[in-house]
Amino acid sequence: MKKWKIILLLAGVAVVALQITNPARTNPPVLHDLAATNPPPAEITALLRAACYDCHSHETKWPWYARIAPSSWLVVSDVNEGREHFNFSEWPTDPELVVKRLDRINEVLDYKEMPPKKYTLLHPEARLTEAQRKFIMDWADAAGKKTEATAPPK
Ligand code: HEC
């Protein structure tokens, strides 16, 4: 066998062996979606679902490269970390927490931290225009004020 063929074969074996390291891709049940407490207008729901839900909900649409190591490690860890920090499928009912979450949405959009660049590179449908950002921020702001105004007194 030619040397390059052996190298190719070994590389192939290594890639196959790597596949046993694929981490689990979970989609646990949706406990309490944002829509249950703070239903946004349909256009906002569509934007959040396109730009955020893959990493911040239990409704992740796993891409094909989440099935193949080593890219699977990166995708799964991003989703797990995203869910841990902020989860639209575990939206709070306590008005104080709701207001905090809505504030955080405003912050990350204002600083253009979310959705992450590495994500929008591969998901053009998740890119937000200036107008869309502002649209979501205005909604989050209004929803926060409304929640504060209607919260029962402590
Ligand atoms: C590619 C996955 C991914 C996408 C898509 C994504 N995020 Fe994130 N997000 C993360 C990760 C990972 C973190 C935690 C680490 C960090 O802060 O960078 C995070 C952190 C956050 C936080 C901070 C939570 C906190 O208070 O600690 C908020 C708020 C947030 N994201 C909102 C959003 C919104 C809103 C969108 C859509 C416009 C979005 N994210 C899209 C992965 C993602």
Side-chain angles (χ1 to χ4, degrees):
M1 229 194 304
K2 289 226 170 67
K3 204 166 167 191
W4 68 267
K5 275 195 182 159
I6 296 174
I7 291 172
L8 218 60
L9 189 70
L10 287 178
V13 169
V15 168
V16 170
L18 215 55
Q19 300 319 309
I20 58 166
T21 68
N22 276 324
R25 299 174 305 274
T26 63
N27 267 345
V30 176
L31 298 177
H32 191 255
D33 186 76
L34 161 74
T37 321
N38 303 89
E43 300 92 326
I44 303 271
T45 302
L47 290 174
L48 295 176
R49 284 191 172 267
C52 321
Y53 267 55
D54 269 351
C55 300
H56 292 296
S57 84
H58 294 170
E59 298 179 73
T60 305
K61 291 193 196 83
W62 293 100
W64 61 266
Y65 47 85
R67 297 169 184 276
I68 299 164
S71 51
S72 58
W73 307 335
L74 305 175
V75 179
V76 173
S77 87
D78 249 9
V79 172
N80 287 344
E81 202 191 332
R83 284 174 177 167
E84 218 169 276
H85 280 81
F86 197 86
N87 197 334
F88 284 114
S89 301
E90 290 180 355
W91 193 255
T93 47
D94 175 354
E96 213 172 299
L97 285 179
V98 168
V99 170
K100 268 191 200 153
R101 300 280 168 99
L102 291 165
D103 271 355
R104 291 296 284 139
I105 293 180
N106 249 326
E107 247 172 68
V108 295
L109 288 177
D110 201 12
Y111 289 111
K112 300 200 167 87
E113 287 172 8
M114 294 285 150
K117 284 241 162 55
K118 62 180 173 188
Y119 179 76
T120 51
L121 265 171
L122 295 167
H123 296 262
E125 73 285 359
R127 283 176 207 156
L128 298 173
T129 63
E130 258 334 291
Q132 289 171 329
R133 253 174 224 283
K134 176 142 188 337
F135 190 37
I136 302 174
M137 286 166 64
D138 286 348
W139 161 76
D141 206 34
K145 292 213 171 86
K146 192 172 149 199
T147 305
E148 258 167 4
T150 53
K154 292 248 153 145

